[in-house]
Amino acid sequence: MLRSLRENDTVRAMTGTADIKTGTAGPRRPAPAGGSARHFTFLLLERFSLLSFAGAVETLRLANRIAGRRIYHWTLTADGGGTVASSAGVSFPVDDDLGDPPREATILVCGGVEVSEATTKRVVAWLRRMARRGDPIGGFCTAAYTMAKAGLLDQKRATIHWENQEGFAEAFDGVELTRGVFTVDGNRMTTAGGTASIDLMLRLIARDEGEDLANAVADQMIYSSIRTDQDQQRLSTPTRIGVRHPKLSTVIQKMEAHIEEPISPATLAREVGLSTRQLERLFRRYLNRSPKRYYMELRLERARKLLMQTDMSVINVGLACGFTSPSHFSKCYRSHYSTTPYRERGSNGTE
């Protein structure tokens, strides 16, 4: 059982005792020739994503183990020190309370659910101080929010989990948001969550030690396809909706791209070379609903995310989702979700 990630803790492996920090069997090996091991400081926010954090740490551990020397080491920090609970309920003891990492350390912020609450004033101040030192700073899962709140992503490219994209875009219009699994812009790095942290760490290992080591680590993890910053985080539209009709997929992509200013079904049909009746039949056949109904559900889903993730007024949420009348927005929302936008916002604790 994993008990701690502190420097002296060990776990029992099948082949003997393995050190968590270095991933090497037995005593630690010397640091890489010509300098000390590269240091990572993981800032754990309350209810951080366990998958993203564990994926990153395990990638570094395996790099040390396969290289046969201590290339990387890491420490954990958090606001208040002590222990921090992940979103899965597993708690981790940290090494310090927002201390001072070694110079040229890479700071990796681990976000998760309710990231706005976890982004405290002390966390923001600490990140700004690390940025002034010139440290590379990255964010896993929703931690792009924390970095943006600290002003670290102004005029930068960044990514965040697809579920949080709408709210993030509304809150931080000075950030160029991508839909990649990870994004690197200078000394700022962001990932979309899940296993994307593994892809980012493999890229850093390849940069530091070469492609051969990165590939060996991926092979050890049974990670058969290393993604790049050009890979998209969501499945393709045909795969996601279980429909492989090309014209129907194109129409749905156009709907998703035009939420604030909806396009009429007649225009959508014309743009893909179909009649309105043909488009109706396609939606009925594959999705069991009309184009108008499907489009409405997309807009309401976007509205719900904005209500849950941002402080936008209910009226502005409606406008952002193509509803020019607040009463019509409320009526449609209640019909679909059995509650009003105002009650949804109130239950979320933001109004």
Side-chain angles (χ1 to χ4, degrees), residues 64-99:
N64 288 344
R65 178 173 179 269
I66 293 170
R69 64 188 194 279
R70 191 180 182 219
I71 303 170
Y72 302 107
H73 77 104
W74 54 92
T75 54
L76 312 183
T77 193
D79 183 4
T83 61
V84 183
S86 69
S87 58
V90 182
S91 295
F92 291 81
V94 300
D95 297 290
D96 57 48
D97 175 11
L98 300 181

Side-chain angles (χ1 to χ4, degrees), residues 3-7 9 21 41-46 48 53 74-86 90-99 110 122:
R3 295 175 298 172
S4 171
L5 285 175
R6 295 188 184 279
E7 191 72 36
D9 286 343
K21 291 288 184 175
T41 290
F42 290 89
L43 169 58
L44 305 185
L45 302 181
E46 284 292 339
F48 66 94
F53 168 67
W74 54 92
T75 54
L76 312 183
T77 193
D79 183 4
T83 61
V84 183
S86 69
V90 182
S91 295
F92 291 81
V94 300
D95 297 290
D96 57 48
D97 175 11
L98 300 181
C110 301
R122 289 192 73 226

